[in-house]
């Protein structure tokens, strides 16, 4: 007989008191101002999520350095101490709603404004050491701003993800080759953080699966997870994806119409060229039929290897998805992104039995729309809904 946990009861994650076992997953909101500071619009979004019943909020990614910034507009920056005052306002407003908030910190690497200059196989050891310091200082800033913890972004093809993946990391020095060498950069980040903040909650987001044969898959992810626990990581969130072909974190339908309408380099093509290119778009990507709980198999594998909490994200849209992930699959927590874009109050709807299914279509239009404007739901339409 399954010992059912009430997913809506308060719980604790890495010492952080959550309202329930359902987290808002980090989502690129695109709501910073031109200087990289959070806007009132972003704070109000977090307030809506808090009112809507999430157990806790993981922010959209914040850049630990200027060269780690995204090419997408509106990324929040946490690269200098001057950011602390405005970030404290975010934290205080969310805490007023009795909801914890965790800062996700990242370096976008060659997928950001630095581009090819951050090819993992060519950057110097001096640069690697500097990035280690950047993550350390960003964590200290998050702590000083009042965030309940941080999440190191080790997934989705950003810099630390590329360092961890054997598909992208072909270095021949101590930072590449074996699993131990590829994970070394995270080990050094954790060592420096723990020297300054021995008890501060540190989560990580990892890829449990990558599209390429020589990428990270479940068994390797489990080995990495075990090492991360040894380094002092408090919890692991399991995602997938190393480049846009795998739709990064957003499996589901290939948003062909939105790509033709908004994607850089495609939206400006002449109409005849677009007509020729349109049928090719799905072929260039790993098309995945709308999937549910697609990271749970990898999360289970990691859970078997570690004793710290594991969080599953991806394709969790229904109350049944949440309950089976926790009751039957043995995962400690779940996190949700796309369903909460269209329905910030979804968790209260589940709890109050007003709904058991999210309205989200997994159309992925929101993912492409971010190239031009802050995150919102398009519900499968290119024009405003």
């Amino acid at each position: 007989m399954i010992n059912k946990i009430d997913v809506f009861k308060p719980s604790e994650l890495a010492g952080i008191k959550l309202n329930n076992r359902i987290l808002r997953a980090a989502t690129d909101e695109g709501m910073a101002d031109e200087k990289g500071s959070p806007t009132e619009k972003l704070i109000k979004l977090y307030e809506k999520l808090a009112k809507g019943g999430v157990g806790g909020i993981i922010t959209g990614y914040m850049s630990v350095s200027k060269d780690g910034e995204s090419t997408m507009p509106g990324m929040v920056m946490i690269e200098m101490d001057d950011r602390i005052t405005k970030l404290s306002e975010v934290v205080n407003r969310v805490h007023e709603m009795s909801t914890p908030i965790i800062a996700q910190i990242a370096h976008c690497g060659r997928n950001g404004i630095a581009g090819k200059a951050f090819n993992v196989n060519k950057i110097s050891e001096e640069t690697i050491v500097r990035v280690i310091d950047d993550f350390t200082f960003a964590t200290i800033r998050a702590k000083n701003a009042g965030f309940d913890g941080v999440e190191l972004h080790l997934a989705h093809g950003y810099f630390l993800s590329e360092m961890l993946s054997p598909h992208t990391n072909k270095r021949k020095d101590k930072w590449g080759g074996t699993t131990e060498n590829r994970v070394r950069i995270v080990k050094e980040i954790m060592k420096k953080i723990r020297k300054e903040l021995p008890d501060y909650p540190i989560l990580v987001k990892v890829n449990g699966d990558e599209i390429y044969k020589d990428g990270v898959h479940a068994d390797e992810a489990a080995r990495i997870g075990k090492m991360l626990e040894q380094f002092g990581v408090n919890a692991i969130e399991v995602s997938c994806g190393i480049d846009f072909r795998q739709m990064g974190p957003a499996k589901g339908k290939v948003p062909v119409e939105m790509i033709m309408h908004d994607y850089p380099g495609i939206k400006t093509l002449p109409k005849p060229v677009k007509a020729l290119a349109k049928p090719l778009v799905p072929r260039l990507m790993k098309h995945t039929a709308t999937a549910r709980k697609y990271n749970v198999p990898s999360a289970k594998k990691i859970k078997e290897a570690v004793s710290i909490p594991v969080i599953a994200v991806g394709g969790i849209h229904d109350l049944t998805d949440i309950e089976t992930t926790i009751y039957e699959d043995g995962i400690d927590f779940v996190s949700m992104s796309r369903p909460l874009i269209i329905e910030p109050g979804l968790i209260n709807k589940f709890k109050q039995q007003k709904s058991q299914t999210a309205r989200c279509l997994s159309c992925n239009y929101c993912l492409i729309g971010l190239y031009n404007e802050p995150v919102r739901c398009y519900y499968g339409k290119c024009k405003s809904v």
Side-chain angles (χ1 to χ4, degrees), residues 28-94:
D28 181 2
E29 301 100 356
M31 293 180 186
D33 64 20
E34 66 280 358
K35 295 181 180 179
S37 294
T39 59
E40 180 66 17
K41 186 174 183 179
L42 178 59
I43 297 174
K44 286 183 176 177
L45 171 61
Y46 290 156
E47 288 178 331
K48 284 182 183 178
L49 289 162
K51 288 179 183 176
V54 295
I57 294 169
I58 303 176
T59 70
Y61 58 0
M62 302 181 187
S63 183
V64 301
S65 62
K66 186 60 183 174
D67 59 13
E69 191 175 356
S70 175
T71 55
M72 301 281 208
M75 185 181 193
V76 173
M77 303 293 290
I78 192 169
E79 88 292 16
M80 58 182 179
D81 291 347
D82 288 352
R83 304 289 183 188
I84 294 173
T85 299
K86 191 63 179 179
L87 291 171
S88 295
E89 183 181 343
V90 176
V91 173
N92 292 338
R93 294 269 292 273
V94 174

Side-chain angles (χ1 to χ4, degrees), residues 287-308:
H287 178 63
T288 308
T290 303
R292 293 296 176 87
K293 297 172 51 172
Y294 47 82
N295 290 315
V296 169
S298 298
K300 288 174 70 174
K301 198 82 174 180
I302 293 171
K303 181 63 183 173
E304 291 170 1
V306 302
S307 60
I308 55 177

Side-chain angles (χ1 to χ4, degrees), residues 308-337:
I308 55 177
V310 172
I311 308 160
V313 65
I316 296 171
H317 285 211
D318 298 347
L319 181 56
T320 300
D321 295 334
I322 295 169
E323 292 179 336
T324 57
T325 299
I326 293 173
Y327 299 162
E328 298 174 14
D329 300 311
I331 306 302
D332 302 286
F333 298 87
V334 301
S335 58
M336 304 172 74
S337 175

